[in-house]
Amino acid sequence: MHFAMGWSKYNMWFLGVWPEPIKTSRAKRYISNLIFWSTLIIVLLFVCLPINAHLFIMSTNLSQIIQNLSINVPCFLAFIKQLFLRYHRKALTLLVGQILNDWTRPIPEAERQAMMRNAKRSHLISILGSTVTYLLLTAFTLMSIWNNMQFEELYSLPFPSFFPYNYKKSPNFELTWFGETMGAIITTICYSCFDSFVAVLTLHLCGQLAVLKINLNSLVNATRPDNFAKFQERLGFIVNRHKELYRYATVIEDYFNITLLVQTMISTSMLCMTGYRLVTTINEGQVGADIIFYIVHVIHVITHFFFYCYIGEQLLTESLSVTQSAYDCEWYDLPPKKAVSLTIVMMQANVSFKLTAGKFSPFSLKLFSAVIILSPAAITTQRIRSGVLRSQQQKAVNFTIVS
């Protein structure tokens, strides 16, 4: 469990939102509450409110609005994610407690290997998601430094912000700069840890479905010779376990579907706005840190959206393959009345487990391809290729004329 959830646990503990499944002391709970409220107030006062004030007061053209929104929307979404994780802490504690029980109970080596494969996937997604998010923060910092050097601004803040006081004099500038820097780090951690936590919960469910398939494949062989009482007992365990996993999947779906809908809508909107800004910047012939930031931002949005679609696809595949596992076991060696009992599992498994965006559309690779094909990022790539092709054709024409 530590391997699968270690990265998410440290990040969520830093934000004061880790749902600890083991009973802790009053001092630790007090520290967790203090960390949560401190980080929340820093993000609210130094990031969310100043950026929104700048959007409504200082932004005067479309370019400035899009640049503000490309920073404003992810920061506000990270703020919402932190509130969500804290508000649903009790329900998430039950889910983490169930994961802890699954890892601590004695199981055969084959089943533990199946769980470990999915744990490695969730661990990799956590690291990649955090790396891309920190890369976005680095690109944004470079863009801010580059733009300040271009306009020779000495007293500049990390974010486009508006404060109701003169922040350009000392020590106001140092305190404000430190607050915004801390807010940037907190929002970066919160944005990535929420996605990695959902991946851990979902892929653990996929691992338990893989364990269930192992039990189904060995059901007939484990109950020989003619030990039908043991067959009935193991079949009952499989049916009850499938019901438990379905309730686990339902809890994940019920608690996360609205937040994932908001995430999907914001991600697609940001992909459109950032793609548009990238296209216009390239067409204007501007070369600098702005292009790097927009490219990294597009990569960040696509990567996190792909993670959701990937884990949704894995969940759909694993849940529907339970039926195939029931069919692949050696049911033909059983008496007809016993073999018919397997239809209970097959009928249950026909109801697929889903991770959806607001119960409208399940996350899958099909959804990912549909969004990416219609995104401005794909249009940008197409336009760059066509521009290179036209340049090559023009060179060929010039060479022919000279010859």
Side-chain angles (χ1 to χ4, degrees), residues 118-152:
N118 287 276
K120 290 179 180 179
R121 293 174 185 172
S122 61
H123 184 74
L124 180 61
I125 288 176
S126 300
I127 293 177
L128 290 178
S130 299
T131 301
V132 174
T133 307
Y134 284 117
L135 184 63
L136 178 65
L137 178 62
T138 304
F140 170 72
T141 304
L142 293 176
M143 183 188 70
S144 300
I145 295 173
W146 172 266
N147 291 335
N148 294 331
M149 291 174 61
Q150 294 291 105
F151 295 102
E152 298 182 353

Tab-separated table of all heavy atoms in Angstrom, residues 118-152:
chain	number	residue	atom	x	y	z
A	118	ASN	N	-1.018	-3.175	-10.734
A	118	ASN	CA	-1.827	-1.961	-10.749
A	118	ASN	C	-1.257	-0.897	-9.807
A	118	ASN	O	-1.404	0.303	-10.070
A	118	ASN	CB	-3.268	-2.296	-10.366
A	118	ASN	CG	-4.006	-3.026	-11.467
A	118	ASN	OD1	-4.542	-2.428	-12.384
A	118	ASN	ND2	-4.023	-4.361	-11.390
A	119	ALA	N	-0.627	-1.327	-8.718
A	119	ALA	CA	0.015	-0.363	-7.823
A	119	ALA	C	1.166	0.345	-8.528
A	119	ALA	O	1.375	1.556	-8.343
A	119	ALA	CB	0.511	-1.068	-6.567
A	120	LYS	N	1.918	-0.383	-9.347
A	120	LYS	CA	3.006	0.234	-10.107
A	120	LYS	C	2.462	1.250	-11.110
A	120	LYS	O	3.068	2.305	-11.323
A	120	LYS	CB	3.821	-0.847	-10.826
A	120	LYS	CG	4.643	-1.725	-9.894
A	120	LYS	CD	5.403	-2.788	-10.664
A	120	LYS	CE	6.227	-3.655	-9.720
A	120	LYS	NZ	6.959	-4.731	-10.457
A	121	ARG	N	1.326	0.933	-11.713
A	121	ARG	CA	0.725	1.885	-12.652
A	121	ARG	C	0.298	3.164	-11.940
A	121	ARG	O	0.547	4.272	-12.441
A	121	ARG	CB	-0.483	1.240	-13.338
A	121	ARG	CG	-0.138	0.083	-14.266
A	121	ARG	CD	-1.408	-0.581	-14.771
A	121	ARG	NE	-1.104	-1.767	-15.563
A	121	ARG	CZ	-2.030	-2.627	-16.003
A	121	ARG	NH1	-3.310	-2.398	-15.721
A	121	ARG	NH2	-1.683	-3.667	-16.708
A	122	SER	N	-0.347	3.028	-10.802
A	122	SER	CA	-0.775	4.214	-10.065
A	122	SER	C	0.422	5.016	-9.562
A	122	SER	O	0.393	6.258	-9.558
A	122	SER	CB	-1.676	3.812	-8.892
A	122	SER	OG	-0.979	2.960	-7.990
A	123	HIS	N	1.479	4.334	-9.158
A	123	HIS	CA	2.698	5.020	-8.711
A	123	HIS	C	3.314	5.803	-9.862
A	123	HIS	O	3.735	6.965	-9.694
A	123	HIS	CB	3.694	3.995	-8.171
A	123	HIS	CG	4.932	4.593	-7.593
A	123	HIS	ND1	4.969	5.230	-6.371
A	123	HIS	CD2	6.197	4.672	-8.084
A	123	HIS	CE1	6.197	5.648	-6.121
A	123	HIS	NE2	6.962	5.335	-7.152
A	124	LEU	N	3.347	5.200	-11.053
A	124	LEU	CA	3.913	5.876	-12.223
A	124	LEU	C	3.061	7.079	-12.618
A	124	LEU	O	3.600	8.152	-12.957
A	124	LEU	CB	4.010	4.885	-13.383
A	124	LEU	CG	4.584	5.422	-14.701
A	124	LEU	CD1	6.018	5.902	-14.486
A	124	LEU	CD2	4.526	4.355	-15.783
A	125	ILE	N	1.736	6.934	-12.580
A	125	ILE	CA	0.848	8.053	-12.919
A	125	ILE	C	1.040	9.195	-11.928
A	125	ILE	O	1.053	10.376	-12.315
A	125	ILE	CB	-0.611	7.573	-12.947
A	125	ILE	CG1	-0.855	6.702	-14.180
A	125	ILE	CG2	-1.583	8.752	-12.933
A	125	ILE	CD1	-2.242	6.103	-14.240
A	126	SER	N	1.203	8.879	-10.646
A	126	SER	CA	1.404	9.916	-9.634
A	126	SER	C	2.679	10.707	-9.910
A	126	SER	O	2.687	11.941	-9.839
A	126	SER	CB	1.459	9.285	-8.242
A	126	SER	OG	0.261	8.606	-7.943
A	127	ILE	N	3.754	10.003	-10.234
A	127	ILE	CA	5.026	10.682	-10.480
A	127	ILE	C	4.973	11.503	-11.762
A	127	ILE	O	5.395	12.672	-11.796
A	127	ILE	CB	6.167	9.654	-10.534
A	127	ILE	CG1	6.372	9.014	-9.160
A	127	ILE	CG2	7.463	10.300	-11.000
A	127	ILE	CD1	7.423	7.943	-9.125
A	128	LEU	N	4.429	10.924	-12.838
A	128	LEU	CA	4.350	11.652	-14.110
A	128	LEU	C	3.448	12.868	-13.996
A	128	LEU	O	3.770	13.943	-14.523
A	128	LEU	CB	3.858	10.713	-15.213
A	128	LEU	CG	4.814	9.621	-15.659
A	128	LEU	CD1	4.166	8.747	-16.732
A	128	LEU	CD2	6.114	10.220	-16.191
A	129	GLY	N	2.289	12.704	-13.332
A	129	GLY	CA	1.377	13.828	-13.177
A	129	GLY	C	2.012	14.970	-12.398
A	129	GLY	O	1.887	16.138	-12.772
A	130	SER	N	2.702	14.648	-11.312
A	130	SER	CA	3.374	15.681	-10.529
A	130	SER	C	4.511	16.324	-11.316
A	130	SER	O	4.704	17.549	-11.261
A	130	SER	CB	3.924	15.082	-9.232
A	130	SER	OG	2.886	14.548	-8.442
A	131	THR	N	5.251	15.525	-12.078
A	131	THR	CA	6.371	16.067	-12.861
A	131	THR	C	5.885	17.058	-13.903
A	131	THR	O	6.461	18.142	-14.068
A	131	THR	CB	7.132	14.918	-13.545
A	131	THR	OG1	7.610	14.009	-12.551
A	131	THR	CG2	8.310	15.453	-14.335
A	132	VAL	N	4.806	16.707	-14.617
A	132	VAL	CA	4.273	17.607	-15.644
A	132	VAL	C	3.739	18.886	-15.011
A	132	VAL	O	3.906	19.990	-15.552
A	132	VAL	CB	3.175	16.893	-16.454
A	132	VAL	CG1	2.503	17.853	-17.429
A	132	VAL	CG2	3.760	15.724	-17.228
A	133	THR	N	3.114	18.780	-13.840
A	133	THR	CA	2.584	19.972	-13.164
A	133	THR	C	3.705	20.877	-12.692
A	133	THR	O	3.632	22.109	-12.840
A	133	THR	CB	1.707	19.554	-11.979
A	133	THR	OG1	0.717	18.616	-12.417
A	133	THR	CG2	0.986	20.759	-11.390
A	134	TYR	N	4.767	20.304	-12.129
A	134	TYR	CA	5.913	21.119	-11.717
A	134	TYR	C	6.616	21.724	-12.930
A	134	TYR	O	7.149	22.836	-12.856
A	134	TYR	CB	6.895	20.286	-10.907
A	134	TYR	CG	6.441	20.034	-9.490
A	134	TYR	CD1	6.186	18.749	-9.033
A	134	TYR	CD2	6.257	21.088	-8.599
A	134	TYR	CE1	5.762	18.512	-7.735
A	134	TYR	CE2	5.835	20.863	-7.300
A	134	TYR	CZ	5.588	19.581	-6.877
A	134	TYR	OH	5.160	19.357	-5.591
A	135	LEU	N	6.623	20.996	-14.037
A	135	LEU	CA	7.200	21.535	-15.267
A	135	LEU	C	6.403	22.743	-15.751
A	135	LEU	O	6.972	23.729	-16.242
A	135	LEU	CB	7.235	20.451	-16.346
A	135	LEU	CG	7.909	20.814	-17.674
A	135	LEU	CD1	9.386	21.129	-17.450
A	135	LEU	CD2	7.772	19.664	-18.666
A	136	LEU	N	5.074	22.677	-15.610
A	136	LEU	CA	4.233	23.818	-15.968
A	136	LEU	C	4.543	25.021	-15.084
A	136	LEU	O	4.618	26.166	-15.568
A	136	LEU	CB	2.759	23.431	-15.849
A	136	LEU	CG	1.739	24.533	-16.137
A	136	LEU	CD1	1.819	24.964	-17.592
A	136	LEU	CD2	0.329	24.071	-15.794
A	137	LEU	N	4.717	24.801	-13.786
A	137	LEU	CA	5.064	25.887	-12.878
A	137	LEU	C	6.412	26.497	-13.249
A	137	LEU	O	6.571	27.729	-13.234
A	137	LEU	CB	5.098	25.369	-11.437
A	137	LEU	CG	5.496	26.376	-10.349
A	137	LEU	CD1	4.503	27.531	-10.288
A	137	LEU	CD2	5.606	25.683	-8.998
A	138	THR	N	7.372	25.655	-13.622
A	138	THR	CA	8.682	26.159	-14.034
A	138	THR	C	8.583	26.980	-15.314
A	138	THR	O	9.191	28.057	-15.426
A	138	THR	CB	9.652	24.986	-14.239
A	138	THR	OG1	9.722	24.203	-13.047
A	138	THR	CG2	11.039	25.476	-14.594
A	139	ALA	N	7.802	26.496	-16.293
A	139	ALA	CA	7.624	27.235	-17.539
A	139	ALA	C	6.942	28.575	-17.296
A	139	ALA	O	7.295	29.587	-17.915
A	139	ALA	CB	6.814	26.397	-18.528
A	140	PHE	N	5.964	28.582	-16.387
A	140	PHE	CA	5.295	29.841	-16.069
A	140	PHE	C	6.256	30.823	-15.396
A	140	PHE	O	6.249	32.027	-15.690
A	140	PHE	CB	4.100	29.577	-15.156
A	140	PHE	CG	3.494	30.817	-14.583
A	140	PHE	CD1	2.766	31.682	-15.384
A	140	PHE	CD2	3.665	31.132	-13.241
A	140	PHE	CE1	2.226	32.842	-14.853
A	140	PHE	CE2	3.122	32.282	-12.714
A	140	PHE	CZ	2.399	33.137	-13.518
A	141	THR	N	7.108	30.316	-14.507
A	141	THR	CA	8.089	31.180	-13.849
A	141	THR	C	9.058	31.769	-14.866
A	141	THR	O	9.381	32.969	-14.821
A	141	THR	CB	8.852	30.384	-12.786
A	141	THR	OG1	7.922	29.805	-11.862
A	141	THR	CG2	9.822	31.275	-12.032
A	142	LEU	N	9.522	30.942	-15.807
A	142	LEU	CA	10.429	31.435	-16.853
A	142	LEU	C	9.746	32.487	-17.723
A	142	LEU	O	10.367	33.482	-18.114
A	142	LEU	CB	10.919	30.263	-17.712
A	142	LEU	CG	11.839	29.251	-17.020
A	142	LEU	CD1	12.163	28.106	-17.963
A	142	LEU	CD2	13.117	29.922	-16.548
A	143	MET	N	8.471	32.265	-18.035
A	143	MET	CA	7.739	33.237	-18.837
A	143	MET	C	7.617	34.569	-18.104
A	143	MET	O	7.779	35.645	-18.696
A	143	MET	CB	6.355	32.701	-19.185
A	143	MET	CG	5.542	33.629	-20.089
A	143	MET	SD	3.840	33.101	-20.321
A	143	MET	CE	3.161	33.399	-18.684
A	144	SER	N	7.336	34.519	-16.797
A	144	SER	CA	7.213	35.747	-16.014
A	144	SER	C	8.543	36.503	-15.969
A	144	SER	O	8.582	37.726	-16.145
A	144	SER	CB	6.748	35.412	-14.597
A	144	SER	OG	5.495	34.769	-14.607
A	145	ILE	N	9.633	35.762	-15.750
A	145	ILE	CA	10.955	36.406	-15.710
A	145	ILE	C	11.301	37.011	-17.066
A	145	ILE	O	11.804	38.145	-17.161
A	145	ILE	CB	12.026	35.391	-15.279
A	145	ILE	CG1	11.775	34.927	-13.836
A	145	ILE	CG2	13.427	35.976	-15.403
A	145	ILE	CD1	12.681	33.806	-13.381
A	146	TRP	N	11.001	36.289	-18.141
A	146	TRP	CA	11.299	36.766	-19.491
A	146	TRP	C	10.522	38.048	-19.802
A	146	TRP	O	11.083	39.033	-20.315
A	146	TRP	CB	10.974	35.682	-20.502
A	146	TRP	CG	11.056	36.121	-21.937
A	146	TRP	CD1	10.040	36.588	-22.720
A	146	TRP	CD2	12.222	36.129	-22.765
A	146	TRP	NE1	10.491	36.885	-23.968
A	146	TRP	CE2	11.832	36.613	-24.033
A	146	TRP	CE3	13.548	35.768	-22.564
A	146	TRP	CZ2	12.722	36.746	-25.090
A	146	TRP	CZ3	14.444	35.905	-23.615
A	146	TRP	CH2	14.029	36.390	-24.856
A	147	ASN	N	9.241	38.048	-19.503
A	147	ASN	CA	8.417	39.224	-19.780
A	147	ASN	C	8.852	40.421	-18.926
A	147	ASN	O	8.835	41.565	-19.394
A	147	ASN	CB	6.942	38.909	-19.521
A	147	ASN	CG	6.382	37.938	-20.529
A	147	ASN	OD1	6.882	37.837	-21.654
A	147	ASN	ND2	5.341	37.210	-20.151
A	148	ASN	N	9.245	40.171	-17.687
A	148	ASN	CA	9.720	41.264	-16.838
A	148	ASN	C	11.034	41.846	-17.358
A	148	ASN	O	11.261	43.066	-17.286
A	148	ASN	CB	9.900	40.785	-15.402
A	148	ASN	CG	8.585	40.401	-14.757
A	148	ASN	OD1	7.532	40.932	-15.105
A	148	ASN	ND2	8.630	39.476	-13.808
A	149	MET	N	11.893	41.006	-17.898
A	149	MET	CA	13.136	41.497	-18.493
A	149	MET	C	12.860	42.305	-19.756
A	149	MET	O	13.534	43.301	-20.030
A	149	MET	CB	14.062	40.319	-18.812
A	149	MET	CG	14.623	39.610	-17.587
A	149	MET	SD	15.559	38.128	-18.007
A	149	MET	CE	16.858	38.826	-19.024
A	150	GLN	N	11.842	41.888	-20.516
A	150	GLN	CA	11.513	42.619	-21.738
A	150	GLN	C	10.999	44.023	-21.421
A	150	GLN	O	11.330	44.985	-22.123
A	150	GLN	CB	10.459	41.851	-22.536
A	150	GLN	CG	10.933	40.508	-23.089
A	150	GLN	CD	11.971	40.683	-24.188
A	150	GLN	OE1	13.160	40.460	-23.959
A	150	GLN	NE2	11.530	41.100	-25.370
A	151	PHE	N	10.160	44.112	-20.383
A	151	PHE	CA	9.570	45.406	-20.022
A	151	PHE	C	10.338	46.115	-18.898
A	151	PHE	O	9.921	47.181	-18.446
A	151	PHE	CB	8.110	45.207	-19.586
A	151	PHE	CG	7.222	44.722	-20.690
A	151	PHE	CD1	6.856	43.389	-20.763
A	151	PHE	CD2	6.777	45.592	-21.666
A	151	PHE	CE1	6.033	42.930	-21.785
A	151	PHE	CE2	5.952	45.143	-22.693
A	151	PHE	CZ	5.581	43.811	-22.762
A	152	GLU	N	11.470	45.503	-18.477
A	152	GLU	CA	12.342	46.092	-17.464
A	152	GLU	C	11.577	46.445	-16.183
A	152	GLU	O	11.655	47.552	-15.655
A	152	GLU	CB	13.035	47.343	-18.021
A	152	GLU	CG	13.940	47.035	-19.207
A	152	GLU	CD	14.645	48.270	-19.709
A	152	GLU	OE1	14.308	49.382	-19.204
A	152	GLU	OE2	15.506	48.136	-20.578
